Amino acid sequence: MSKSEEIQAKLLLAIQSNPPNLDDIVSLSTELAKLDPTNQRFYIDAKTLIHLGRDSIKDHSTALLELVKNSYDADATKVDIEIFSETKDIIRVADNGFGMKPEELKNSWLRIGYSGKRVSTKSKLGRRKTGEKGIGRISTDRLGSKLELRTKSKDEKLIGLKVNWDDFDVEGKSLSDIHVQIFEPKEINLPLTDGKPSATGTEILIEEQRQSWTKTNIENLFQELSALTPPFEDVQDFHISLVNDVYPLPSEEINSNYLDAAEIKIEAYYPGTGTEIIYTYWDKYNDKEVIEKIEWSNLLTRTGIDTTNLIENKIRSGSATIKLYFFLRESASVKDFEFNLTKLREFLDNNAGIKIYRDRIVVKPYGFPSSQFGYDWLGLADRKAKDPAGISRSANYSVTPNQLVGAVFIARDSNVELADSAAREGLVESEAFYDLKSLVMGTINMLESYRTRLIPKINEAKRKSRSKESRTERIIKALNSIEKDLYSINLEIQNNSDVASHIKERVQKNVNDLSGTTDKVEKTITELLNWNRTLSGLATIGISSAVFGHETEGSITQLKGSVMAAKLALSRKVPKVDDAIVEIEKAVKSSKRVAAWGAYALTRVQREKRNKKNVNIAKIIQSVVNELEPAYKAASISINTELKDIYTYTFQMDIETVLINLLTNAYTAATLESGKRLIEVRLIEEDLKEPKKLIENGYSLIVSDSGPGVSKEFEHRLFEPLFSTKVNPTQGSKSIGTGLGLTVVNSIVNDLNGNISFDKDPVLKGARFKIWLPKERKQRN
């Protein structure tokens, strides 16, 4: 065997080894080339790594996302990211994945272009691995010049490597001439699993950062990490934490409850074979879903794409699922939710757009608001600017990009024609990509068409809402409408080349100044309404204190008298202990009554009572009656209750304030008549039935008394502020009422979209007040 043949045999063994021995391959190939000038090979310059990593990856957030994707592929459930640019120079990425064995680190991680993900496409947890080009590790060079990697796999020792990427940034130096240091770290800092440090995982430390991080960088990174796995799919097994010293991050995570506020949800499914796409619709006006099917060629025709040259009726991009959520950016959208319009708009501003998810991992830049070219990759804003028609002009109606939150779901195995671009961001714009884009545009067109079919129900809901709208809600809606119109006008102006740049700047500035005004107005009004609710509660305390003041005063007088009598009994030469005990017991009883009134006043305006929530109205009423009953008994007034358990979504303080004011009026009225004094409180379910209106579910609170009733000459003034029918007969019929109780009640009932009425009780013969209120519940799609 010749020397050349011997080297070739060794080279073959090195190549066939598993994994291939890269160092032996390089050295044997070099030796063989020297023996045979006709048998040569390519030499790899060290700067090739710089071009693959630092120069080809768009920015440092994209590079960091590549490392997080590697953690996802390693079956990590937790990833810790630390970015310190101000206090120290280090980036740390640590996960609790399965780690790497020493031979994997040496023969796989260090082998550029090699990826076991092409052979083993699924992880142990069933995740489809995201990287197959074998160059994602070089993204660390984009972040900093010095890399230290530590890794620990099951039943293996801790191992690490150190790389100085600047060593590769040298002209004329061969890649094989630069060595990487392998070492055994003393420790590794991995995320906690079940409260304990993980037994396996990888930690990456990067120093001498190549680019400083700004507030905008951190905000964009946070959005990208939040959207890395789709909020629609509720991925619970992959959590990322981000800590930095540049800018404090938002504490609120993406709340999937915001998706429930969508007016319409549409889901498109193409199985990858055949020519039909299946569409499923849900909306807030109908209880049942709607399912439709459409041919691919028909869908293309609907979207205005020329199908003359369509060779075959086939979607070349492969199977896909598309989910779109359509939102109205107005106050009516959040009426039945815990969050307000400001929160919903913040969610939309951060998440609006249609993203692409491949194997549950987001593909940048599609659908990211921070991306200049990726956010509106479908050109929806330009389409709207050319024809800003509203839904009333159904033929030309189109949505705006800031109204949509959506996702396109694809997979490597079923969408092989959709390949990554060389820049590690986006997909190659092939024929398959344009088919996918057309499928998404077709789905948007189907959504728009479906919404125009809902016009009768939308108008019906608006009429119903308008009949209940307060002046405040109408102001907010008007501001919303102005803001939407200006947004459309601005789109048209910005896309019109004939408009001078200084005019565009002025219009843009005015739109920016107006943007958020509605939110501020609504926030201010909400604060005022809460303040008004608190004031109504405080006024009610004052009213009830005035009515029951003599009871409290009597208890205090009795307390003083009992204490003095007990003191006198004990100060005698022969103390009368039994008499003292009796007086002390009377004093304790009086003090409890005073304390009860204090507690009653303090609990009227508690913060939790000012929050809207699901409550049992019967339970609230009974609690108030129990608190007030001692004062009524002292005046020989009985309170009878007949209460049905009714649950609704409302403000507890409003219900209490209405009831207490009605009860205090009934108290005064009952004391004006001799004989049996009685008050009845009833709670019943009652639907509102009015001509030409929908039947509305609700309940009625009825308070009746045995007093003299309401005089006819006072009926028309009963709800006037400061007008009172309460008089003191011993003082020339002088008014002793505040004139605020029923005014407060009337105001609250109107705010709750209810009705108030009064008449004479047929049994008790006194006044009977009836409050009807609608039942409310938090909506869920």
Side-chain angles (χ1 to χ4, degrees):
M1 181 183 291
S2 66
K3 182 70 172 174
S4 177
E5 291 173 334
E6 182 183 344
I7 295 174
Q8 288 182 34
K10 291 180 179 179
L11 182 59
L12 182 61
L13 288 172
I15 293 172
Q16 291 178 341
S17 62
N18 187 20
N21 192 317
L22 189 61
D23 292 336
D24 286 352
I25 292 172
V26 173
S27 61
L28 290 168
S29 298
T30 304
E31 191 175 348
L32 183 63
K34 290 177 181 178
L35 291 175
D36 185 0
T38 64
N39 184 7
Q40 294 298 313
R41 62 182 176 85
F42 283 103
Y43 291 89
I44 302 175
D45 194 275
K47 284 184 74 73
T48 303
L49 290 190
I50 305 302
H51 298 310
L52 288 173
R54 192 185 317 168
D55 297 341
S56 66
I57 295 177
K58 178 187 173 184
D59 54 32
H60 44 351
S61 63
T62 302
L64 202 146
L65 281 174
E66 287 296 318
L67 300 180
V68 177
K69 289 178 185 179
N70 285 343
S71 297
Y72 181 84
D73 290 345
D75 278 347
T77 58
K78 292 183 180 179
V79 182
D80 291 342
I81 302 172
E82 296 177 357
I83 300 173
F84 295 107
S85 294
E86 304 289 340
T87 56
K88 51 186 176 180
D89 178 22
I90 193 168
I91 295 174
R92 175 178 168 270
V93 180
D95 66 57
N96 63 346
F98 48 65
M100 286 181 280
K101 298 178 181 179
E103 59 269 22
E104 289 175 328
L105 185 66
K106 296 173 185 177
N107 299 323
S108 298
W109 198 91
L110 288 175
R111 186 179 172 190
I112 304 302
Y114 171 78
S115 176
K117 300 171 186 178
R118 289 193 291 267
V119 179
S120 174
T121 60
K122 293 285 184 73
S123 72
K124 292 179 180 179
L125 290 181
R127 295 175 181 172
R128 180 55 169 86
K129 296 177 182 177
T130 61
E132 295 179 350
K133 294 188 176 181
I135 59 174
R137 68 210 68 177
I138 310 174
S139 62
T140 56
D141 177 35
R142 179 67 178 80
L143 296 168
S145 60
K146 289 186 177 179
L147 163 69
E148 182 175 319
L149 183 148
R150 304 169 184 177
T151 187
K152 175 74 172 64
S153 64
K154 188 177 181 181
D155 301 327
E156 296 286 346
K157 65 181 180 180
L158 183 60
I159 191 169
L161 60 79
K162 295 179 181 180
V163 181
N164 187 337
W165 293 113
D166 287 345
D167 291 343
F168 297 85
D169 196 7
V170 180
E171 295 289 347
K173 200 166 188 178
S174 175
L175 182 62
S176 60
D177 292 337
I178 299 174
H179 297 281
V180 173
Q181 179 187 349
I182 302 291
F183 74 108
E184 293 185 9
K186 293 182 179 179
E187 60 181 4
I188 185 170
N189 183 13
L190 299 176
L192 299 177
T193 304
D194 297 327
K196 299 177 182 178
S198 176
T200 63
T202 300
E203 181 182 26
I204 293 175
L205 303 170
I206 300 167
E207 296 181 340
E208 296 184 10
Q209 296 175 54
R210 300 203 184 278
Q211 184 177 348
S212 60
W213 294 78
T214 65
K215 170 189 171 183
T216 302
N217 294 150
I218 296 295
E219 285 179 325
N220 292 343
L221 177 63
F222 178 78
Q223 290 177 9
E224 291 171 6
L225 291 171
S226 298
L228 187 63
T229 56
F232 323 100
E233 296 296 281
D234 199 24
V235 178
Q236 298 290 341
D237 59 350
F238 191 65
H239 301 277
I240 306 167
S241 69
L242 175 59
V243 177
N244 76 98
D245 63 353
V246 179
Y247 177 66
L249 292 167
S251 58
E252 186 176 17
E253 297 179 358
I254 288 180
N255 182 353
S256 60
N257 288 338
Y258 290 122
L259 298 175
D260 293 337
E263 184 187 50
I264 299 172
K265 173 190 171 185
I266 181 172
E267 181 174 311
Y269 174 64
Y270 173 63
T273 58
T275 59
E276 281 188 336
I277 302 106
I278 303 169
Y279 284 97
T280 307
Y281 307 87
W282 297 264
D283 65 79
K284 65 192 299 183
Y285 310 106
N286 296 291
D287 295 330
K288 295 182 179 180
E289 63 186 35
V290 176
I291 300 176
E292 294 178 345
K293 295 180 181 179
I294 188 171
E295 287 284 330
W296 173 234
S297 57
N298 292 339
L299 187 68
L300 293 178
T301 303
R302 288 176 63 118
T303 54
I305 297 174
D306 186 7
T307 59
T308 305
N309 299 319
L310 189 66
I311 298 174
E312 56 179 329
N313 193 8
K314 181 181 178 182
I315 304 177
R316 288 163 290 190
S317 56
S319 65
T321 298
I322 301 168
K323 293 183 180 182
L324 300 180
Y325 293 80
F326 173 80
F327 294 84
L328 293 172
R329 299 171 66 99
E330 56 189 44
S331 56
S333 300
V334 297
K335 179 183 175 185
D336 299 304
F337 295 93
E338 293 179 351
F339 48 84
N340 57 23
L341 182 60
T342 301
K343 288 293 183 183
L344 176 63
R345 287 183 171 179
E346 285 177 2
F347 168 77
L348 292 176
D349 291 341
N350 292 330
N351 298 280
I354 301 174
K355 297 178 175 63
I356 296 178
Y357 288 90
R358 184 168 52 191
D359 298 309
R360 298 203 311 173
I361 294 295
V362 76
V363 180
K364 285 182 64 182
Y366 310 108
F368 280 95
S370 59
S371 173
Q372 181 180 358
F373 303 105
Y375 166 55
D376 191 18
W377 60 286
L378 297 162
L380 300 181
D382 184 56
R383 186 182 66 142
K384 184 70 174 180
K386 289 178 181 176
D387 191 348
I391 192 171
S392 58
R393 289 168 55 192
S394 56
N396 301 317
Y397 168 67
S398 59
V399 300
T400 54
N402 71 343
Q403 290 180 298
L404 290 177
V405 175
V408 182
F409 298 94
I410 58 176
R412 276 179 170 74
D413 297 333
S414 56
N415 305 93
V416 292
E417 299 296 323
L418 297 173
D420 285 328
S421 67
R424 307 296 291 170
E425 183 168 84
L427 302 171
V428 175
E429 297 194 2
S430 60
E431 290 178 334
F433 175 79
Y434 286 114
D435 275 1
L436 181 69
K437 191 172 180 179
S438 298
L439 180 60
V440 179
M441 281 302 301
T443 302
I444 293 171
N445 184 273
M446 294 291 282
L447 185 150
E448 292 164 343
S449 176
Y450 181 78
R451 187 162 190 257
T452 60
R453 282 147 52 188
L454 290 174
I455 288 177
K457 296 209 170 187
I458 292 172
N459 291 337
E460 180 183 300
K462 284 182 177 179
R463 282 195 300 271
K464 183 178 176 183
S465 174
R466 195 178 296 118
S467 67
K468 292 182 174 184
E469 275 180 358
S470 65
R471 189 180 303 172
T472 298
E473 290 169 329
R474 287 196 287 272
I475 292 171
I476 293 171
K477 182 172 281 188
L479 285 171
N480 271 319
S481 178
I482 294 169
E483 195 170 333
K484 282 168 64 179
D485 290 344
L486 285 178
Y487 177 81
S488 298
I489 293 168
N490 184 47
L491 283 176
E492 192 169 356
I493 290 173
Q494 298 301 328
N495 287 280
N496 190 336
S497 57
D498 296 331
V499 179
S501 60
H502 71 280
I503 295 177
K504 290 184 178 182
E505 289 176 4
R506 282 173 56 196
V507 172
Q508 184 67 59
K509 182 180 183 300
N510 288 331
V511 171
N512 291 341
D513 289 343
L514 180 66
S515 178
T517 300
T518 306
D519 295 345
K520 293 174 184 175
V521 169
E522 184 178 19
K523 183 179 179 182
T524 301
I525 291 173
T526 301
E527 290 173 351
L528 287 172
L529 289 174
N530 282 333
W531 180 238
N532 183 60
R533 182 166 283 110
T534 303
L535 290 178
S536 295
L538 292 172
T540 300
I541 294 173
I543 293 167
S544 56
S545 295
V547 172
F548 305 121
H550 67 279
E551 296 294 336
T552 308
E553 185 179 2
S555 295
I556 294 172
T557 301
Q558 188 172 0
L559 172 64
K560 289 180 179 179
S562 296
V563 170
M564 291 179 63
K567 184 178 179 181
L568 183 63
L570 293 173
S571 63
R572 295 179 178 274
K573 290 184 179 181
V574 180
K576 294 186 176 182
V577 176
D578 291 340
D579 292 348
I581 291 174
V582 171
E583 294 300 330
I584 290 172
E585 287 175 349
K586 289 181 183 178
V588 169
K589 195 182 237 183
S590 300
S591 68
K592 285 181 178 179
R593 280 201 293 267
V594 174
W597 277 105
Y600 159 81
L602 289 173
T603 56
R604 294 282 65 80
V605 290
Q606 288 174 341
R607 181 178 293 273
E608 67 265 17
K609 293 184 180 182
R610 302 199 298 268
N611 295 330
K612 201 171 185 180
K613 57 186 177 181
N614 284 312
V615 293
N616 184 341
I617 302 297
K619 188 175 179 181
I620 293 172
I621 292 173
Q622 193 61 58
S623 176
V624 170
V625 169
N626 291 343
E627 288 177 334
L628 292 175
E629 206 161 25
Y632 285 70
K633 282 184 177 179
S636 301
I637 300 174
S638 298
I639 303 180
N640 295 337
T641 58
E642 183 183 331
L643 309 175
K644 179 177 178 57
D645 283 329
I646 294 174
Y647 294 85
T648 188
Y649 186 62
T650 190
F651 299 94
Q652 181 176 340
M653 180 178 286
D654 287 350
I655 303 300
E656 289 187 356
T657 301
V658 166
L659 177 62
I660 292 168
N661 278 296
L662 292 180
L663 285 176
T664 52
N665 280 350
Y667 174 93
T668 302
T671 58
L672 296 177
E673 293 288 312
S674 58
K676 190 176 182 181
R677 298 174 174 180
L678 184 63
I679 294 173
E680 288 186 350
V681 180
R682 296 172 61 219
L683 180 67
I684 60 172
E685 281 188 302
E686 187 172 19
D687 294 338
L688 182 66
K689 300 176 184 178
E690 295 185 23
K692 298 181 181 180
K693 285 191 177 182
L694 296 173
I695 295 175
E696 192 164 1
N697 295 330
Y699 59 96
S700 291
L701 167 63
I702 304 165
V703 178
S704 305
D705 62 66
S706 58
V710 180
S711 300
K712 284 195 175 291
E713 69 264 28
F714 296 146
E715 286 181 354
H716 67 288
R717 301 187 61 191
L718 207 56
F719 300 112
E720 284 183 15
L722 306 180
F723 175 77
S724 176
T725 61
K726 297 174 185 175
V727 295
N728 189 338
T730 63
Q731 297 183 22
S733 299
K734 181 180 178 182
S735 175
I736 59 171
T738 62
L740 291 175
L742 288 178
T743 303
V744 169
V745 171
N746 192 41
S747 175
I748 291 173
V749 171
N750 287 334
D751 285 343
L752 297 179
N753 297 316
N755 297 325
I756 183 170
S757 61
F758 61 90
D759 61 6
K760 186 172 184 178
D761 188 278
V763 178
L764 300 184
K765 306 303 181 184
R768 178 172 64 180
F769 283 84
K770 181 178 179 180
I771 309 293
W772 181 89
L773 295 172
K775 277 187 184 178
E776 292 189 51
R777 66 179 63 188
K778 288 197 289 184
Q779 290 185 350
R780 289 288 183 270
N781 286 351

